[in-house]
Amino acid sequence: ASQPRTFAIAVLAELGTPGSQGVPRALTSALMAFIEMDQSSFKPAHRIDIHNLLESWLPGLKIPRRDDYLAGGRWARQSYYDAIFGVSVSILDLAEVYSGLKLRIQRVRHSNESDPVPGPKEESFLTGVETSSDEFHNNANSKLATSINAAKEKIATADDLGKSAVFELKSSGKPSKECASCASAISAYKKAFAACAQVLSLDKNAFQAHWFKSFFRRNYDALMVKSVYDNVIEDVDNVRIWMDALRRGSSLRSTVPVCDGLESNYPRSILDDLDKVFSPISSTQGENSFITNPFFACPEKQKEQDIVDAIIAALFYDPSEREFIANDPLVRLLIPNDPGNYNFTIITAMGVITEGKKGRELEKAVERLKKKKGSRYSASRHWNSTICRL
């Protein structure tokens, strides 16, 4: 009902175009089945007048009724099939504009499903019978090989500097912005990002290589933690409340957080909603329990790396993955994307079960993204910030 009339004409035309050829007979059979559809399982008040529905889609066309062509009907001497056939011809005539557009806009397949999945040139080169790994990496004439070697070296250098910086962070308790070794490590990682981007410009499938894919995933996790960290610090939407709820876990109970200045940060209506979901805590949990003293409610009282640890513990379930991410200097350094405008695509699933295509669940997030990155947004799009970095 929300689609334009031309959409209905195009759909009906597709029913009558088997093999991309307009065949009125095929559309006639489909229309007769549609018009005579059995609606006996519906209450009379809920049954649809198919004739009126089709006529609302097809202005200027009159849909024949079978009763008019039976004995005693006004068109008893004429053929009901021929009448429907004439409507089908008219529908295909109306669909000529759509058919012309369809012939102009077609999907192009550069390969068949049976073709092997294209991989990175690095692996394709190494699997050659006449070529060895050493020959590829030592080939001075290969610009790609040189870029790959440079990227791997810069990643390794950045990781070494990052480990030293994280050690200083933990021992000093300073935030990453005040740590001298952190600045060196961040600079090294940015050089690694640029080197990976150079490799990707030479081989669009390079991200499938194991070393590139591993670094890409590390960036993805690091940016996820960084994004949540920024939202907690900036008190965006209800992130602090939600993170404390995640931290409590599904088997625990909620309570109203107690913190200086909490009245302004935590709207009463939000707390009321949470109280409906979680029952009150018991008195046996103690005053010093992390339940009665929410961690994210007052991030200014926490150390930077403690907040990072709490975010990782709340977001990641698998213990081995949680340990790996917690020990990754790329995550600990909280490296943001460089400022500036970015050209990327956003794909979201918001509004599927709420307000349909007018869903507004991510409206505020998109507006913030527009202000920071200068991006324009259209519905049904999603952004992965890792792409901006690499």
mmCIF file of all heavy atoms in Angstrom, residues 215-258:
data_model
loop_
_atom_site.group_PDB
_atom_site.id
_atom_site.type_symbol
_atom_site.label_atom_id
_atom_site.label_comp_id
_atom_site.label_asym_id
_atom_site.label_seq_id
_atom_site.Cartn_x
_atom_site.Cartn_y
_atom_site.Cartn_z
ATOM 1 N N PHE A 215 45.080 -7.913 11.642
ATOM 2 C CA PHE A 215 45.247 -6.514 12.033
ATOM 3 C C PHE A 215 43.939 -5.743 11.862
ATOM 4 O O PHE A 215 43.607 -4.871 12.667
ATOM 5 C CB PHE A 215 46.360 -5.878 11.198
ATOM 6 C CG PHE A 215 46.816 -4.532 11.691
ATOM 7 C CD1 PHE A 215 47.196 -4.360 13.014
ATOM 8 C CD2 PHE A 215 46.873 -3.443 10.843
ATOM 9 C CE1 PHE A 215 47.622 -3.122 13.486
ATOM 10 C CE2 PHE A 215 47.291 -2.198 11.297
ATOM 11 C CZ PHE A 215 47.660 -2.042 12.625
ATOM 12 N N PHE A 216 43.191 -6.066 10.827
ATOM 13 C CA PHE A 216 41.895 -5.435 10.581
ATOM 14 C C PHE A 216 40.939 -5.728 11.732
ATOM 15 O O PHE A 216 40.244 -4.835 12.224
ATOM 16 C CB PHE A 216 41.318 -5.959 9.265
ATOM 17 C CG PHE A 216 40.083 -5.239 8.802
ATOM 18 C CD1 PHE A 216 40.163 -4.192 7.896
ATOM 19 C CD2 PHE A 216 38.824 -5.604 9.257
ATOM 20 C CE1 PHE A 216 39.030 -3.522 7.458
ATOM 21 C CE2 PHE A 216 37.685 -4.953 8.837
ATOM 22 C CZ PHE A 216 37.786 -3.907 7.930
ATOM 23 N N ARG A 217 40.917 -6.979 12.185
ATOM 24 C CA ARG A 217 40.016 -7.336 13.283
ATOM 25 C C ARG A 217 40.436 -6.647 14.574
ATOM 26 O O ARG A 217 39.586 -6.220 15.362
ATOM 27 C CB ARG A 217 40.017 -8.856 13.472
ATOM 28 C CG ARG A 217 39.096 -9.294 14.606
ATOM 29 C CD ARG A 217 39.015 -10.787 14.756
ATOM 30 N NE ARG A 217 38.137 -11.153 15.854
ATOM 31 C CZ ARG A 217 37.867 -12.393 16.227
ATOM 32 N NH1 ARG A 217 38.420 -13.400 15.576
ATOM 33 N NH2 ARG A 217 37.058 -12.648 17.234
ATOM 34 N N ARG A 218 41.728 -6.553 14.809
ATOM 35 C CA ARG A 218 42.200 -5.846 15.997
ATOM 36 C C ARG A 218 41.731 -4.389 15.968
ATOM 37 O O ARG A 218 41.336 -3.836 17.000
ATOM 38 C CB ARG A 218 43.723 -5.905 16.077
ATOM 39 C CG ARG A 218 44.288 -7.289 16.402
ATOM 40 C CD ARG A 218 45.805 -7.277 16.319
ATOM 41 N NE ARG A 218 46.381 -6.281 17.218
ATOM 42 C CZ ARG A 218 47.640 -5.851 17.130
ATOM 43 N NH1 ARG A 218 48.436 -6.301 16.165
ATOM 44 N NH2 ARG A 218 48.084 -4.948 17.980
ATOM 45 N N ASN A 219 41.784 -3.764 14.802
ATOM 46 C CA ASN A 219 41.305 -2.395 14.661
ATOM 47 C C ASN A 219 39.805 -2.306 14.922
ATOM 48 O O ASN A 219 39.328 -1.357 15.545
ATOM 49 C CB ASN A 219 41.627 -1.871 13.258
ATOM 50 C CG ASN A 219 43.002 -1.260 13.169
ATOM 51 O OD1 ASN A 219 43.182 -0.077 13.418
ATOM 52 N ND2 ASN A 219 43.994 -2.061 12.819
ATOM 53 N N TYR A 220 39.082 -3.289 14.427
ATOM 54 C CA TYR A 220 37.628 -3.309 14.637
ATOM 55 C C TYR A 220 37.305 -3.340 16.128
ATOM 56 O O TYR A 220 36.489 -2.548 16.615
ATOM 57 C CB TYR A 220 37.026 -4.528 13.935
ATOM 58 C CG TYR A 220 35.533 -4.654 14.082
ATOM 59 C CD1 TYR A 220 34.672 -4.073 13.156
ATOM 60 C CD2 TYR A 220 34.970 -5.348 15.154
ATOM 61 C CE1 TYR A 220 33.295 -4.185 13.287
ATOM 62 C CE2 TYR A 220 33.599 -5.458 15.298
ATOM 63 C CZ TYR A 220 32.762 -4.878 14.365
ATOM 64 O OH TYR A 220 31.404 -4.981 14.506
ATOM 65 N N ASP A 221 37.931 -4.250 16.865
ATOM 66 C CA ASP A 221 37.689 -4.347 18.303
ATOM 67 C C ASP A 221 38.155 -3.089 19.029
ATOM 68 O O ASP A 221 37.492 -2.620 19.965
ATOM 69 C CB ASP A 221 38.399 -5.582 18.868
ATOM 70 C CG ASP A 221 37.799 -6.882 18.367
ATOM 71 O OD1 ASP A 221 36.599 -6.890 18.047
ATOM 72 O OD2 ASP A 221 38.533 -7.889 18.280
ATOM 73 N N ALA A 222 39.297 -2.551 18.608
ATOM 74 C CA ALA A 222 39.821 -1.346 19.259
ATOM 75 C C ALA A 222 38.887 -0.166 19.071
ATOM 76 O O ALA A 222 38.629 0.602 20.012
ATOM 77 C CB ALA A 222 41.211 -1.015 18.703
ATOM 78 N N LEU A 223 38.344 -0.005 17.874
ATOM 79 C CA LEU A 223 37.423 1.096 17.608
ATOM 80 C C LEU A 223 36.090 0.898 18.318
ATOM 81 O O LEU A 223 35.435 1.868 18.712
ATOM 82 C CB LEU A 223 37.209 1.245 16.105
ATOM 83 C CG LEU A 223 38.373 1.889 15.355
ATOM 84 C CD1 LEU A 223 38.205 1.726 13.854
ATOM 85 C CD2 LEU A 223 38.488 3.354 15.711
ATOM 86 N N MET A 224 35.683 -0.344 18.496
ATOM 87 C CA MET A 224 34.456 -0.609 19.242
ATOM 88 C C MET A 224 34.623 -0.171 20.695
ATOM 89 O O MET A 224 33.762 0.523 21.267
ATOM 90 C CB MET A 224 34.098 -2.095 19.180
ATOM 91 C CG MET A 224 32.784 -2.442 19.862
ATOM 92 S SD MET A 224 32.510 -4.215 20.008
ATOM 93 C CE MET A 224 32.571 -4.706 18.297
ATOM 94 N N VAL A 225 35.732 -0.558 21.305
ATOM 95 C CA VAL A 225 36.002 -0.171 22.688
ATOM 96 C C VAL A 225 36.149 1.346 22.791
ATOM 97 O O VAL A 225 35.617 1.978 23.712
ATOM 98 C CB VAL A 225 37.264 -0.878 23.206
ATOM 99 C CG1 VAL A 225 37.649 -0.359 24.592
ATOM 100 C CG2 VAL A 225 37.054 -2.387 23.259
ATOM 101 N N LYS A 226 36.858 1.944 21.835
ATOM 102 C CA LYS A 226 37.048 3.393 21.829
ATOM 103 C C LYS A 226 35.708 4.129 21.721
ATOM 104 O O LYS A 226 35.473 5.135 22.407
ATOM 105 C CB LYS A 226 37.957 3.774 20.661
ATOM 106 C CG LYS A 226 38.015 5.250 20.322
ATOM 107 C CD LYS A 226 38.592 6.087 21.440
ATOM 108 C CE LYS A 226 38.740 7.539 21.003
ATOM 109 N NZ LYS A 226 39.133 8.433 22.124
ATOM 110 N N SER A 227 34.827 3.629 20.867
ATOM 111 C CA SER A 227 33.518 4.259 20.684
ATOM 112 C C SER A 227 32.704 4.222 21.966
ATOM 113 O O SER A 227 32.103 5.225 22.375
ATOM 114 C CB SER A 227 32.761 3.562 19.551
ATOM 115 O OG SER A 227 31.464 4.092 19.414
ATOM 116 N N VAL A 228 32.667 3.060 22.628
ATOM 117 C CA VAL A 228 31.918 2.939 23.879
ATOM 118 C C VAL A 228 32.552 3.808 24.964
ATOM 119 O O VAL A 228 31.853 4.455 25.749
ATOM 120 C CB VAL A 228 31.850 1.464 24.322
ATOM 121 C CG1 VAL A 228 31.165 1.342 25.677
ATOM 122 C CG2 VAL A 228 31.113 0.626 23.292
ATOM 123 N N TYR A 229 33.887 3.831 24.991
ATOM 124 C CA TYR A 229 34.591 4.656 25.981
ATOM 125 C C TYR A 229 34.203 6.130 25.811
ATOM 126 O O TYR A 229 33.891 6.818 26.787
ATOM 127 C CB TYR A 229 36.098 4.480 25.822
ATOM 128 C CG TYR A 229 36.917 5.376 26.730
ATOM 129 C CD1 TYR A 229 37.219 4.990 28.032
ATOM 130 C CD2 TYR A 229 37.383 6.614 26.292
ATOM 131 C CE1 TYR A 229 37.954 5.805 28.875
ATOM 132 C CE2 TYR A 229 38.114 7.441 27.118
ATOM 133 C CZ TYR A 229 38.406 7.038 28.412
ATOM 134 O OH TYR A 229 39.133 7.859 29.235
ATOM 135 N N ASP A 230 34.217 6.625 24.588
ATOM 136 C CA ASP A 230 33.841 8.018 24.337
ATOM 137 C C ASP A 230 32.401 8.291 24.746
ATOM 138 O O ASP A 230 32.085 9.344 25.314
ATOM 139 C CB ASP A 230 34.026 8.360 22.858
ATOM 140 C CG ASP A 230 35.484 8.450 22.461
ATOM 141 O OD1 ASP A 230 36.343 8.571 23.372
ATOM 142 O OD2 ASP A 230 35.780 8.394 21.251
ATOM 143 N N ASN A 231 31.512 7.354 24.467
ATOM 144 C CA ASN A 231 30.105 7.530 24.828
ATOM 145 C C ASN A 231 29.908 7.569 26.346
ATOM 146 O O ASN A 231 29.061 8.295 26.853
ATOM 147 C CB ASN A 231 29.253 6.423 24.219
ATOM 148 C CG ASN A 231 29.112 6.557 22.726
ATOM 149 O OD1 ASN A 231 29.343 7.624 22.164
ATOM 150 N ND2 ASN A 231 28.735 5.478 22.061
ATOM 151 N N VAL A 232 30.698 6.753 27.056
ATOM 152 C CA VAL A 232 30.615 6.759 28.522
ATOM 153 C C VAL A 232 31.126 8.087 29.071
ATOM 154 O O VAL A 232 30.488 8.712 29.925
ATOM 155 C CB VAL A 232 31.420 5.580 29.112
ATOM 156 C CG1 VAL A 232 31.550 5.724 30.621
ATOM 157 C CG2 VAL A 232 30.750 4.256 28.776
ATOM 158 N N ILE A 233 32.261 8.535 28.579
ATOM 159 C CA ILE A 233 32.847 9.784 29.066
ATOM 160 C C ILE A 233 31.958 10.977 28.740
ATOM 161 O O ILE A 233 31.757 11.878 29.567
ATOM 162 C CB ILE A 233 34.254 9.991 28.464
ATOM 163 C CG1 ILE A 233 35.209 8.872 28.920
ATOM 164 C CG2 ILE A 233 34.813 11.351 28.849
ATOM 165 C CD1 ILE A 233 35.412 8.788 30.414
ATOM 166 N N GLU A 234 31.407 10.995 27.519
ATOM 167 C CA GLU A 234 30.577 12.124 27.085
ATOM 168 C C GLU A 234 29.127 11.994 27.532
ATOM 169 O O GLU A 234 28.319 12.874 27.257
ATOM 170 C CB GLU A 234 30.640 12.233 25.557
ATOM 171 C CG GLU A 234 32.043 12.509 25.030
ATOM 172 C CD GLU A 234 32.142 12.352 23.521
ATOM 173 O OE1 GLU A 234 31.080 12.167 22.882
ATOM 174 O OE2 GLU A 234 33.266 12.399 22.984
ATOM 175 N N ASP A 235 28.797 10.888 28.205
ATOM 176 C CA ASP A 235 27.439 10.639 28.697
ATOM 177 C C ASP A 235 26.419 10.725 27.563
ATOM 178 O O ASP A 235 25.407 11.444 27.642
ATOM 179 C CB ASP A 235 27.077 11.631 29.806
ATOM 180 C CG ASP A 235 25.861 11.172 30.608
ATOM 181 O OD1 ASP A 235 25.465 9.998 30.467
ATOM 182 O OD2 ASP A 235 25.310 11.990 31.367
ATOM 183 N N VAL A 236 26.665 9.983 26.497
ATOM 184 C CA VAL A 236 25.795 9.974 25.325
ATOM 185 C C VAL A 236 24.568 9.096 25.583
ATOM 186 O O VAL A 236 24.698 7.960 26.047
ATOM 187 C CB VAL A 236 26.565 9.459 24.089
ATOM 188 C CG1 VAL A 236 25.626 9.279 22.912
ATOM 189 C CG2 VAL A 236 27.687 10.422 23.743
ATOM 190 N N ASP A 237 23.404 9.649 25.289
ATOM 191 C CA ASP A 237 22.136 8.919 25.461
ATOM 192 C C ASP A 237 22.098 8.243 26.841
ATOM 193 O O ASP A 237 22.321 8.878 27.846
ATOM 194 C CB ASP A 237 21.957 7.914 24.324
ATOM 195 C CG ASP A 237 21.781 8.605 22.978
ATOM 196 O OD1 ASP A 237 21.386 9.775 22.968
ATOM 197 O OD2 ASP A 237 22.050 7.968 21.932
ATOM 198 N N ASN A 238 21.854 6.926 26.862
ATOM 199 C CA ASN A 238 21.779 6.187 28.129
ATOM 200 C C ASN A 238 22.871 5.125 28.210
ATOM 201 O O ASN A 238 22.683 4.062 28.817
ATOM 202 C CB ASN A 238 20.404 5.519 28.264
ATOM 203 C CG ASN A 238 19.274 6.523 28.186
ATOM 204 O OD1 ASN A 238 19.313 7.564 28.828
ATOM 205 N ND2 ASN A 238 18.269 6.224 27.380
ATOM 206 N N VAL A 239 24.029 5.422 27.623
ATOM 207 C CA VAL A 239 25.102 4.439 27.555
ATOM 208 C C VAL A 239 25.583 4.033 28.948
ATOM 209 O O VAL A 239 25.848 2.859 29.209
ATOM 210 C CB VAL A 239 26.278 4.981 26.714
ATOM 211 C CG1 VAL A 239 27.480 4.058 26.818
ATOM 212 C CG2 VAL A 239 25.862 5.127 25.262
ATOM 213 N N ARG A 240 25.709 4.994 29.856
ATOM 214 C CA ARG A 240 26.211 4.664 31.200
ATOM 215 C C ARG A 240 25.286 3.677 31.909
ATOM 216 O O ARG A 240 25.738 2.702 32.525
ATOM 217 C CB ARG A 240 26.354 5.940 32.026
ATOM 218 C CG ARG A 240 27.443 6.886 31.523
ATOM 219 C CD ARG A 240 27.557 8.109 32.419
ATOM 220 N NE ARG A 240 28.588 9.023 31.940
ATOM 221 C CZ ARG A 240 28.899 10.172 32.531
ATOM 222 N NH1 ARG A 240 28.228 10.548 33.625
ATOM 223 N NH2 ARG A 240 29.852 10.956 32.034
ATOM 224 N N ILE A 241 23.995 3.928 31.808
ATOM 225 C CA ILE A 241 23.023 3.023 32.433
ATOM 226 C C ILE A 241 23.088 1.638 31.791
ATOM 227 O O ILE A 241 23.075 0.611 32.470
ATOM 228 C CB ILE A 241 21.598 3.611 32.318
ATOM 229 C CG1 ILE A 241 21.508 4.937 33.066
ATOM 230 C CG2 ILE A 241 20.565 2.633 32.854
ATOM 231 C CD1 ILE A 241 20.160 5.617 32.920
ATOM 232 N N TRP A 242 23.157 1.632 30.449
ATOM 233 C CA TRP A 242 23.172 0.355 29.734
ATOM 234 C C TRP A 242 24.439 -0.442 30.046
ATOM 235 O O TRP A 242 24.386 -1.656 30.230
ATOM 236 C CB TRP A 242 23.053 0.608 28.241
ATOM 237 C CG TRP A 242 23.082 -0.639 27.425
ATOM 238 C CD1 TRP A 242 24.006 -1.005 26.495
ATOM 239 C CD2 TRP A 242 22.141 -1.717 27.465
ATOM 240 N NE1 TRP A 242 23.702 -2.232 25.958
ATOM 241 C CE2 TRP A 242 22.566 -2.692 26.537
ATOM 242 C CE3 TRP A 242 20.977 -1.953 28.210
ATOM 243 C CZ2 TRP A 242 21.874 -3.868 26.331
ATOM 244 C CZ3 TRP A 242 20.281 -3.141 28.002
ATOM 245 C CH2 TRP A 242 20.738 -4.074 27.069
ATOM 246 N N MET A 243 25.583 0.232 30.132
ATOM 247 C CA MET A 243 26.828 -0.467 30.418
ATOM 248 C C MET A 243 26.826 -1.038 31.823
ATOM 249 O O MET A 243 27.327 -2.144 32.063
ATOM 250 C CB MET A 243 28.012 0.481 30.233
ATOM 251 C CG MET A 243 28.312 0.844 28.787
ATOM 252 S SD MET A 243 28.632 -0.600 27.743
ATOM 253 C CE MET A 243 30.108 -1.254 28.513
ATOM 254 N N ASP A 244 26.246 -0.319 32.774
ATOM 255 C CA ASP A 244 26.143 -0.876 34.124
ATOM 256 C C ASP A 244 25.203 -2.076 34.142
ATOM 257 O O ASP A 244 25.426 -3.035 34.887
ATOM 258 C CB ASP A 244 25.654 0.195 35.099
ATOM 259 C CG ASP A 244 26.802 1.001 35.697
ATOM 260 O OD1 ASP A 244 27.857 0.405 35.979
ATOM 261 O OD2 ASP A 244 26.653 2.222 35.871
ATOM 262 N N ALA A 245 24.151 -2.026 33.317
ATOM 263 C CA ALA A 245 23.240 -3.171 33.232
ATOM 264 C C ALA A 245 23.960 -4.378 32.646
ATOM 265 O O ALA A 245 23.791 -5.511 33.113
ATOM 266 C CB ALA A 245 22.024 -2.804 32.384
ATOM 267 N N LEU A 246 24.780 -4.152 31.606
ATOM 268 C CA LEU A 246 25.558 -5.252 31.032
ATOM 269 C C LEU A 246 26.539 -5.809 32.049
ATOM 270 O O LEU A 246 26.755 -7.016 32.128
ATOM 271 C CB LEU A 246 26.325 -4.760 29.798
ATOM 272 C CG LEU A 246 25.534 -4.525 28.515
ATOM 273 C CD1 LEU A 246 26.456 -3.996 27.434
ATOM 274 C CD2 LEU A 246 24.868 -5.811 28.049
ATOM 275 N N ARG A 247 27.140 -4.914 32.799
ATOM 276 C CA ARG A 247 28.149 -5.333 33.770
ATOM 277 C C ARG A 247 27.539 -6.179 34.881
ATOM 278 O O ARG A 247 28.154 -7.105 35.398
ATOM 279 C CB ARG A 247 28.817 -4.082 34.352
ATOM 280 C CG ARG A 247 30.001 -4.343 35.273
ATOM 281 C CD ARG A 247 30.757 -3.052 35.548
ATOM 282 N NE ARG A 247 31.848 -3.260 36.492
ATOM 283 C CZ ARG A 247 31.748 -3.050 37.804
ATOM 284 N NH1 ARG A 247 30.609 -2.609 38.305
ATOM 285 N NH2 ARG A 247 32.780 -3.260 38.603
ATOM 286 N N ARG A 248 26.322 -5.845 35.260
ATOM 287 C CA ARG A 248 25.670 -6.637 36.310
ATOM 288 C C ARG A 248 25.418 -8.065 35.851
ATOM 289 O O ARG A 248 25.525 -9.012 36.622
ATOM 290 C CB ARG A 248 24.354 -5.969 36.717
ATOM 291 C CG ARG A 248 24.536 -4.782 37.644
ATOM 292 C CD ARG A 248 23.215 -4.309 38.193
ATOM 293 N NE ARG A 248 22.367 -3.735 37.184
ATOM 294 C CZ ARG A 248 22.373 -2.452 36.855
ATOM 295 N NH1 ARG A 248 23.217 -1.631 37.441
ATOM 296 N NH2 ARG A 248 21.559 -1.989 35.941
ATOM 297 N N GLY A 249 25.052 -8.189 34.590
ATOM 298 C CA GLY A 249 24.794 -9.532 34.087
ATOM 299 C C GLY A 249 23.348 -9.930 34.259
ATOM 300 O O GLY A 249 22.606 -9.369 35.069
ATOM 301 N N SER A 250 22.942 -10.899 33.494
ATOM 302 C CA SER A 250 21.529 -11.287 33.465
ATOM 303 C C SER A 250 21.067 -11.948 34.757
ATOM 304 O O SER A 250 19.873 -11.976 35.046
ATOM 305 C CB SER A 250 21.291 -12.236 32.291
ATOM 306 O OG SER A 250 22.100 -13.395 32.434
ATOM 307 N N SER A 251 21.977 -12.501 35.546
ATOM 308 C CA SER A 251 21.572 -13.207 36.764
ATOM 309 C C SER A 251 21.517 -12.295 37.980
ATOM 310 O O SER A 251 21.137 -12.736 39.066
ATOM 311 C CB SER A 251 22.537 -14.352 37.049
ATOM 312 O OG SER A 251 23.848 -13.850 37.274
ATOM 313 N N LEU A 252 21.898 -11.010 37.790
ATOM 314 C CA LEU A 252 21.920 -10.096 38.912
ATOM 315 C C LEU A 252 20.731 -9.156 38.859
ATOM 316 O O LEU A 252 19.961 -9.161 37.918
ATOM 317 C CB LEU A 252 23.242 -9.311 38.902
ATOM 318 C CG LEU A 252 24.498 -10.201 38.988
ATOM 319 C CD1 LEU A 252 25.735 -9.352 38.857
ATOM 320 C CD2 LEU A 252 24.507 -10.971 40.293
ATOM 321 N N ARG A 253 20.637 -8.284 39.863
ATOM 322 C CA ARG A 253 19.490 -7.397 39.968
ATOM 323 C C ARG A 253 19.933 -5.949 39.905
ATOM 324 O O ARG A 253 21.049 -5.590 40.250
ATOM 325 C CB ARG A 253 18.739 -7.650 41.294
ATOM 326 C CG ARG A 253 18.137 -9.046 41.378
ATOM 327 C CD ARG A 253 17.032 -9.203 40.347
ATOM 328 N NE ARG A 253 16.381 -10.477 40.475
ATOM 329 C CZ ARG A 253 16.646 -11.523 39.700
ATOM 330 N NH1 ARG A 253 17.563 -11.449 38.773
ATOM 331 N NH2 ARG A 253 16.004 -12.653 39.874
ATOM 332 N N SER A 254 19.024 -5.109 39.489
ATOM 333 C CA SER A 254 19.335 -3.696 39.324
ATOM 334 C C SER A 254 19.050 -2.911 40.585
ATOM 335 O O SER A 254 18.295 -3.323 41.448
ATOM 336 C CB SER A 254 18.513 -3.112 38.175
ATOM 337 O OG SER A 254 18.697 -1.732 38.083
ATOM 338 N N THR A 255 19.668 -1.757 40.659
ATOM 339 C CA THR A 255 19.384 -0.822 41.732
ATOM 340 C C THR A 255 19.598 0.584 41.224
ATOM 341 O O THR A 255 20.265 0.799 40.230
ATOM 342 C CB THR A 255 20.296 -1.072 42.944
ATOM 343 O OG1 THR A 255 19.913 -0.198 43.995
ATOM 344 C CG2 THR A 255 21.751 -0.794 42.599
ATOM 345 N N VAL A 256 19.067 1.551 41.908
ATOM 346 C CA VAL A 256 19.265 2.943 41.512
ATOM 347 C C VAL A 256 20.682 3.346 41.865
ATOM 348 O O VAL A 256 21.087 3.264 43.019
ATOM 349 C CB VAL A 256 18.255 3.859 42.228
ATOM 350 C CG1 VAL A 256 18.515 5.311 41.862
ATOM 351 C CG2 VAL A 256 16.845 3.451 41.871
ATOM 352 N N PRO A 257 21.507 3.807 40.897
ATOM 353 C CA PRO A 257 22.878 4.192 41.198
ATOM 354 C C PRO A 257 22.918 5.392 42.151
ATOM 355 O O PRO A 257 22.056 6.250 42.143
ATOM 356 C CB PRO A 257 23.441 4.575 39.817
ATOM 357 C CG PRO A 257 22.506 3.954 38.838
ATOM 358 C CD PRO A 257 21.174 3.936 39.490
ATOM 359 N N VAL A 258 23.952 5.413 42.980
ATOM 360 C CA VAL A 258 24.147 6.509 43.907
ATOM 361 C C VAL A 258 25.465 7.175 43.586
ATOM 362 O O VAL A 258 26.507 6.539 43.627
ATOM 363 C CB VAL A 258 24.143 6.017 45.367
ATOM 364 C CG1 VAL A 258 24.380 7.184 46.312
ATOM 365 C CG2 VAL A 258 22.831 5.326 45.688
#
